[in-house]
Structures are given as structure tokens and as C-alpha cells.
Amino acid sequence: MGNTQPPVVKRSLFSWVFANNAKYQILLVVIIMVTVFARVLPLEMQKRIVNQAISLRKIDLLLRYCSIYIVAVVTASGLKFLINILQTLIAQRATAEMRKELYRHLLTLPLNFFRKTQQGTIVNALAAELALPGNFVGMAVAVPVSNILTLVAFAGYLFWLNPLLAAVSLSIYPAVIFLIPLLQKRVNRANKQRIDKARVMSSKVAETVSGIHEIQSNGSFGIESRKFDRIVEQLYKIRVRWSLFRFGIKSTNNFFVSLGPFLIFILGGYLAIRGQLALGSLVAFLSAQEKLYDPWKELIEFYQVYQDGSVSYNRTMKLFDIEPEHVLEPEGREPYTFKGAIDVKNLSFATETGIRLLRDVTFSLKPGEHLAVVGFSGSGKSTLAQCIGQLYKYNDGNLLIDGHEVSQLTKRDIVNNVGFVAQSPFIFTGTIEENLLYSSAARFDGQGEIDPALLPDRDDRIEVLQQTGIFVDVLRFGLNTILSRDENPELVEQIIRVRRNLQEDFGEQLSEYVEFYRSDQYLFYSSIAENLFFGTPNREDLQVENLPRNPYFLDFLKQAELSMPLMGLGAELCRQIVDILGNLPPDEIFFEQSPISPDEIETYKALSGRLKQARLHRLPPEDQEKLLGLALRFIPGKHKMVALPKLLRELIMEGRSIFREAIQKDLPGAVTFYQESEYIYSQTILNNIFFGKMKTATSHAQEKINQSIIQVLIGEDMLETIIEIGMQFHVGSSGDRLSGGQRQKLAVARVFLKAPPVLIMDEATSALDNKSQFRIQNLLDTRWKGRHTLISVIHRLDTIKKYDKIIVLKAGKIGEMGTYEELMEKRGMLYELTGGKR
């Protein structure tokens, strides 16, 4: 059954007032009617208190009327609070629904829309511009109903008290009703300009963030700042004008409303003096007239919110008012399941500006055949791939998959049967696993939660990680995970068993690459602080950066006679590093073997100068603190500019046992000491398996270590567990914690896991090294050929020899087509592209 609801961009602002909110709006009306009565009642009580209780000197009437008065005031206040809560609930529900519906629509828009529209404009429209319309929806029933009823009730009460005085006091409102719409037109005009300019500013910020690399590499800070300054100045002037007109409306309203009491005092005072109006009635009249201001002011504000919200809503919907190029879901049938036969006949594609990117392209593929698309730059290779994948809608010709015209297929038909890997694939914020399952999950996406049983199981996920070469990366992510203390205790016990097995089976082989923790040995690849602790601190004040200021630790150093030797080491480090690195550029590469970072070098240069003028014990405390901190983070195996004196090494080893004994007594639990039978929760799974630290990060060492660890993990049946942990690694914003090669491998892995009948790869391995490219190409040649149809845009021509067909594009047309051997024999375009190399 088709959805009769109009597209979100065609809905009016008022259509959201009762959508999913009808019961709340009805409840609001009921509460408002009670509230209005509760607000009018105190006015009558004022009159009776003055005319009856006070005039007749009756205490019982005074108490009765005062009680009714306070109950009515409290009731009205409580109900007003409840009305505000319901208004807020309705407003936020409406805003959330608008955003969700508009976002769903946004996802279906043609790619060309996103190429023409700045990211900042889209973000600003969804994030900011729908807030005002949402607020209006929250107010749409409550504010007019509440305030109009209140005005009618108060006005009726005024006429009941004195018709003449009521008519005079209400005579000012028609003038206000006439003037305010005139001013509001100017407000609307300025508001439209404000929205448009705010979009321009948002787009400029988004462009700056996207192009920050170019800005910084060119040093074009002034150029970009001036561009942004001009936009901000224009927005500033528009906002000032917009605000002035808004304040003009408020000032006009306030002026006319303030005339009310003046008229009442003149006429009402005259009538009271003449005895034609009771004093209590005059008091009630003044109170009622004053209370008229609040609903009137709220109605004026509501009118402004409606106008601003209407402008913002219409601007936003107009921006996205574009039809999707393809129907999303099939009606009356299940999605097609294709075998993968592709027929392209006279296919042409031109941009909106009339530039023809494809001209009369014709070819056909049987199910399971592989096609390589090659050609000169700008020849239309990617355009062809995107037309087949329904990302572009071609203008002329036919493109058939199993006899079905691609332009007439639904998105669901394409999603279920076609996989696409782009040259620069996008990795979504989230985990490795979420990205890996992304394409597979999309096949079962019915706008609801996806049943995990429908998704590929663990074995399939691990297999595809191995096939694409990202398995080792995921393993490393898992091994570099730090477990919390409430993690699975069985996993911790398994890791400790793996630790023992690794050292028994591979300890001697790995000793060249790993420094194992030994309580009777100095650890050259750990800092001096770690050597003293022989463990990891559990308190913030015992972290290495805080130790030079920690009184307990400083007392220990004095008792162990380590204070001056460590400061002496710090001074030697300072002098040597400043002499060697002091005049070099502050680049990380020069400071890899230094405990001083590039941004600290100037500080230590100044300290080095002071060391020439004063002995260590005469240096100010802050200088001594810096030298001590430098020594404590010194790692002899890494920071090779200065050697660790043998005497100091022996003192540190003696201090290790003294420190352990003292801190266990004085501060129990402050440090977790290294023990072969205990898990170290502050360190990674890898370091816990090693029970040590790596000496080198070379690829050869890493490969040896990986092989050893994998063998031990397989022996303990833990490899899959570590891989599962690794798949929970968060890839960062848009995958920025992954390298370009890792992102591309992950993109290939997710489409391989989906295993569609038709696979399109648009230079999908361009960021990979030769070994990784060969791995994936070999997999395509052996596992995919004959089973899945492949269209691959190729950038490396040495990988195309085994393809069933090759087409060479030039200026959007097929220049030649055939097998590799046929085209090389012709000595045509392919021969030219390869330089004649077979």
C-alpha cells in the first residue's frame, strides 16, 4: 500500500501541529480552559475583598475571599508550568521529526545536489534552521488558544464591570493590529537575508575545514580571513537591521499598551469621584487591564515566532525540494535477484551544462565475466562505473542488468545486487565491525533494527579480513586494547596463560625484539620512573609527569640517595640534547631519540644556559623540577644521545626494592607491580602477553612478533577473540585513525562480505601497496571469476591480463575492446597506454 503522506519538502508548517501530537494538543486546550478561569477568578476576589470584606469589616469574608484568591493563583501558576512543559515536548518532538524526515529525504537526493550545495549550507539547514519552526509548532495551539481565551475572558469581565470604561481601554488595540503587520514585513525581508547569509557563512567554514591542508601549505591565512571577514560584516549589518525592526514591533506594542492605565486613571477616576464606579470595581478594573498586557504581548511574540518560523521553514524546504532520481522500494513485489548479465547499448551521459562525458558506449557481459575499464585521464571511466551503479542517471541509450533497465530499477534492487567500491571510499565514524557490516546490513535495512542473525557470522567476517589483508591491522588493534578491570575475568586468565606459553615457546627467539620484564634486571626500554616502580601507578599524583612535585616520591629519592644523581643525569641530558638539537628545526623526526620534545627545546635551551652559571643545588626549585622530570622519563634503549651510568643503574635497582616495600606499607594499592601471574590493567593486551616492551618497531621485528603471537593465540583458541576485540576499534571521525590503505582495504572487505552478483570497483586499490594489490587481484581472479560479474576501473595496467574483456575509453567513447592479447596484438590504444610492455 503506497504512502499517502506528501514528501516532507511539500508539507506545510501547519501540518506538523497535530502530526503525532494530537493528544497533547487536546490535553493542552483542556488545561488552558481551566487556567483561564483560574486567572480571572482572582480579579473578582479583589473586588469582593474591597467592596464587601473591607467595607463591611467582615473578617470571615476576608479570609474566605483571600483563600479563594491564593488557591486560584497557585492553581494558575501550576497549570501554566504544565502548559510550558507540554509546549516544549510538542516543539521538540516536532523539531526532531522534521529533522528525521528531512534527513531521510536528503539521503535520497541525486549526487549532483551534493556537488552543487556546500556542506555547511546543508548542516546549517538541518541543525539550526528547523529550530524556529519547531518552536512555532509547540506554540501553535497553546499560545493562541490560551491568550485569546484570556483576552476574551478579561475583556468580558471589564465590560461586566463598566462597558464605557472597557470600550475606551480596549480602543488602542485596533491601532496596534494595523501597525505591527507593516513592521513585520520588514522583519521578514531582513530574516530571509539573515538565513541566506548564515548559510553562506556556514558553507565558508565547512570549506575552510575541508581545505585546511591547502590553506596551511600555501600560507593563505590573510586571504581566507578577509573572505570570512566580509561575510561576517554583511551578516552583522543584516542582523542589526533585523533586530531593529523586531525591537520596533515590541516598542510600538509597549507604547500603546502603556496608554491603557492612563485612560483608566482619567476616566475611571472621574467616574469613581462622581460615585458612578465603586472603588473595588476600579481596583479590579486596573488589575484586569494590566493583566491584558501579558496575553497581548504573548500573542505579538507568537506572531513574530510564526513569521520567523515560516520564513525559516519555507527557505529550508525550498533548498531540499528536489525529487529523488529513483524509487527507493519496489511496490507489489520483492526486490529482484540478478545473475549479473549486463548489456549496455548506445549509452550516453551529459552534465546539466551539456558536457558529454559518455558517448554511445556499447558492450555486454555474461554472468560471472570480468571487465577492465581503462583509458586516458578524463575519458569517462568513473562516469561509466557510476552509471552502472545507478549513482548517475544516464541521458540516452540502454543499460540493462538481467534484462531490466537500470534507470527503472528501484534503489533496493540495486542495493541487493550491486556492490560499489570507490577510489576514495568513505569510512563512517564508528567501529571496524560497524563499517565492515555496513554494506551487508544495508541489504536488510527496512527502516528498523536489523536482526543480527541475518548478518554474516564471525567466521565470514574474519575470512574477509584475511582475504583483503587488513587482518593483521585488526589483530594489532585488538592487541593494543587496554582492558578495564570489570572485563571478562576468563579472558584475563587466558591472556596470562598465553604470556607463559609465549615465553616458554618463543622467549629466546623474541628476546632480540622484546625486553621482557625481569625483577632482577634493569629495563633499558622502560623509563627510569618505570624502573623504580617496576609497575604502573594507579594514582594521578604518581604519574611520571607529576612525580617531580610529589612530596612522598621526593622523600623516597632522598632516602635512596637518588635525588642528586637523577638531577645530574637530567642536567647531562639537557646539555647534550641542546648541543645536538638546539639549532635544528623543531621537527619530530629530529627528536625521536630525545626525551625532550620539539615544543620544549626552547625551555631547555634557556635552562642549559643557567646550568653554566650555577651548580645543581643552587638552581631554583622549578629548574630542579624540570631536570628531575627529564631524567625520570629517560629511556636508555630509545634515547641514545646519553648513556646511563652504571652506578646510577645500580642505585635504581637498589631503589626499586626500597620503593616497593615502602609504598606497599604507606600507600597500599597505589601501584600495580609487575608479576608474571598478574594482569597489568594499565597496559595493552600486547604488553600483557609480552610481559615486556618492544625494542624495535621495524617491519621485520613486527612480522616475527605477529607470527609468534598468532601461533600462541591459535594454540589457546584465542585468535578469534582478539580479532573480535580489534573489530571494536573506533576508526575516528570519517576513519581518520586509519591510514589511506587501511580505509581502502576496509571498503573492499565490506563489499566482499556482501558478495553481490555485480561488483563495481572504481580504482578501488589505488592506495594499496603492490603486495596488497596483488592479493586482492588474485582473489578476484580465483574466487570471484565465474561467480560474480565484475566491472573494474583500472589504474595499474599490469593487473588486467586475466580479465575476460577490456575496454579502452577515450573522450567518453570506446576506442577499442577485446581481450588483453587481442588488444596488444592490434598495437592500438592499450598498447600505447602500456608503452608496449607486455
Side-chain angles (χ1 to χ4, degrees), residues 177-338:
I177 293 172
F178 173 75
L179 286 173
I180 285 179
L182 295 178
L183 289 171
Q184 186 64 47
K185 288 181 180 179
R186 294 178 177 270
V187 172
N188 290 350
R189 191 178 307 125
N191 193 25
K192 290 176 183 178
Q193 295 172 344
R194 177 189 66 85
I195 291 172
D196 291 342
K197 192 55 65 176
R199 287 178 178 175
V200 172
M201 185 180 72
S202 299
S203 297
K204 180 59 190 168
V205 172
E207 181 185 61
T208 299
V209 173
S210 300
I212 193 67
H213 183 273
E214 286 296 322
I215 293 170
Q216 293 200 357
S217 63
N218 287 286
S220 54
F221 311 113
I223 294 173
E224 296 302 323
S225 294
R226 286 191 294 274
K227 289 180 185 176
F228 188 74
D229 290 351
R230 283 194 291 271
I231 297 171
V232 171
E233 283 296 318
Q234 291 167 355
L235 182 60
Y236 157 73
K237 292 175 182 177
I238 292 169
R239 289 189 68 91
V240 167
R241 188 164 64 252
W242 176 59
S243 299
L244 286 176
F245 286 130
R246 286 169 60 87
F247 294 145
I249 291 175
K250 289 184 179 180
S251 299
T252 302
N253 181 54
N254 291 342
F255 170 73
F256 280 101
V257 170
S258 299
L259 288 177
F262 169 76
L263 296 174
I264 293 172
F265 280 124
I266 289 291
L267 183 58
Y270 173 78
L271 293 175
I273 292 171
R274 294 290 300 272
Q276 297 176 0
L277 184 68
L279 183 61
S281 296
L282 180 61
V283 171
F285 205 101
L286 283 168
S287 295
Q289 206 284 335
E290 182 183 353
K291 290 181 182 297
L292 276 176
Y293 174 70
D294 289 336
W296 180 254
K297 184 183 75 169
E298 287 191 28
L299 281 173
I300 296 297
E301 290 176 350
F302 170 73
Y303 177 70
Q304 284 191 304
V305 169
Y306 163 66
Q307 292 293 333
D308 291 346
S310 180
V311 169
S312 180
Y313 181 82
N314 291 333
R315 282 313 239 204
T316 300
M317 294 306 167
K318 185 178 179 181
L319 173 67
F320 297 106
D321 191 5
I322 299 171
E323 290 289 327
E325 288 182 330
H326 303 280
V327 177
L328 299 185
E329 299 287 342
E331 288 191 24
R333 64 172 176 85
E334 291 296 315
Y336 293 123
T337 300
F338 294 148

Side-chain angles (χ1 to χ4, degrees), residues 430-448:
T431 65
I432 292 276
E433 184 177 56
E434 288 169 344
N435 276 279
L436 183 64
L437 293 173
Y438 191 80
S439 295
S440 301
R443 298 180 66 177
F444 307 104
D445 182 16
Q447 305 299 321

Side-chain angles (χ1 to χ4, degrees), residues 267-492:
L267 183 58
Y270 173 78
L271 293 175
I273 292 171
R274 294 290 300 272
Q276 297 176 0
L277 184 68
L279 183 61
S281 296
L282 180 61
V283 171
F285 205 101
L286 283 168
S287 295
Q289 206 284 335
E290 182 183 353
K291 290 181 182 297
L292 276 176
Y293 174 70
D294 289 336
W296 180 254
K297 184 183 75 169
E298 287 191 28
L299 281 173
I300 296 297
E301 290 176 350
F302 170 73
Y303 177 70
Q304 284 191 304
V305 169
Y306 163 66
Q307 292 293 333
D308 291 346
S310 180
V311 169
S312 180
Y313 181 82
N314 291 333
R315 282 313 239 204
T316 300
M317 294 306 167
K318 185 178 179 181
L319 173 67
F320 297 106
D321 191 5
I322 299 171
E323 290 289 327
E325 288 182 330
H326 303 280
V327 177
L328 299 185
E329 299 287 342
E331 288 191 24
R333 64 172 176 85
E334 291 296 315
Y336 293 123
T337 300
F338 294 148
K339 294 180 180 179
I342 296 177
D343 289 292
V344 180
K345 301 174 184 177
N346 302 318
L347 187 73
S348 296
F349 175 81
T351 65
E352 290 182 351
T353 57
I355 300 172
R356 294 178 69 82
L357 301 180
L358 292 176
R359 302 166 182 267
D360 300 323
V361 174
T362 300
F363 65 88
S364 63
L365 292 174
K366 297 175 184 177
E369 282 193 323
H370 287 194
L371 169 71
V373 182
V374 301
F376 301 92
S377 179
S379 59
K381 303 186 297 295
S382 294
T383 303
L384 175 60
Q386 289 170 330
C387 284
I388 297 171
Q390 210 190 55
L391 297 176
Y392 284 159
K393 191 170 185 178
Y394 45 92
N395 309 106
D396 297 302
N398 301 99
L399 201 169
L400 308 174
I401 300 181
D402 282 14
H404 298 278
E405 191 72 51
V406 167
S407 61
Q408 302 303 315
L409 292 171
T410 66
K411 273 293 178 187
R412 177 60 55 200
D413 295 320
I414 294 295
V415 165
N416 283 17
N417 292 279
V418 179
F420 195 99
V421 188
Q423 179 179 357
S424 301
F426 192 87
I427 301 300
F428 292 89
T429 302
T431 65
I432 292 276
E433 184 177 56
E434 288 169 344
N435 276 279
L436 183 64
L437 293 173
Y438 191 80
S439 295
S440 301
R443 298 180 66 177
F444 307 104
D445 182 16
Q447 305 299 321
E449 292 298 323
I450 298 168
D451 183 359
L454 298 173
L455 299 176
D457 60 23
R458 184 178 71 173
D459 291 341
D460 290 333
R461 300 175 201 181
I462 293 175
E463 182 182 12
V464 82
L465 293 176
Q466 291 172 325
Q467 289 174 346
T468 53
I470 198 174
F471 177 86
V472 174
D473 298 295
V474 176
L475 175 63
R476 189 173 71 252
F477 295 146
L479 291 171
N480 286 333
T481 299
I482 295 178
L483 300 179
S484 60
R485 291 183 179 273
D486 57 355
E487 294 275 356
N488 187 346
E490 293 180 3
L491 176 61
V492 169

Side-chain angles (χ1 to χ4, degrees), residues 662-732:
I663 203 165
Q664 282 182 319
K665 177 183 176 184
D666 301 333
L667 301 172
V671 176
T672 299
F673 296 101
Y674 297 152
Q675 299 181 60
E676 288 196 19
S677 60
E678 297 294 328
Y679 192 87
I680 310 167
Y681 285 96
S682 61
Q683 296 200 21
T684 65
I685 292 175
L686 179 63
N687 282 353
N688 270 280
I689 291 175
F690 283 161
F691 197 59
K693 286 192 177 180
M694 288 179 60
K695 296 180 180 180
T696 176
T698 64
S699 57
H700 174 72
Q702 189 69 61
E703 190 172 342
K704 283 280 187 183
I705 291 167
N706 287 342
Q707 290 173 356
S708 304
I709 290 177
I710 288 172
Q711 289 186 44
V712 177
L713 290 176
I714 290 173
E716 284 293 324
D717 196 23
M718 272 190 66
L719 185 62
E720 290 84 358
T721 302
I722 301 298
I723 289 294
E724 283 190 323
I725 294 172
M727 282 196 281
Q728 302 313 309
F729 174 78
H730 279 263
V731 300

Side-chain angles (χ1 to χ4, degrees), residues 763-782:
E763 298 192 25
T765 59
S766 58
L768 302 185
D769 57 76
N770 292 340
K771 184 177 179 181
S772 299
Q773 282 194 358
F774 177 78
R775 175 199 296 270
I776 291 173
Q777 189 58 55
N778 185 58
L779 185 69
L780 291 170
D781 293 338
T782 56

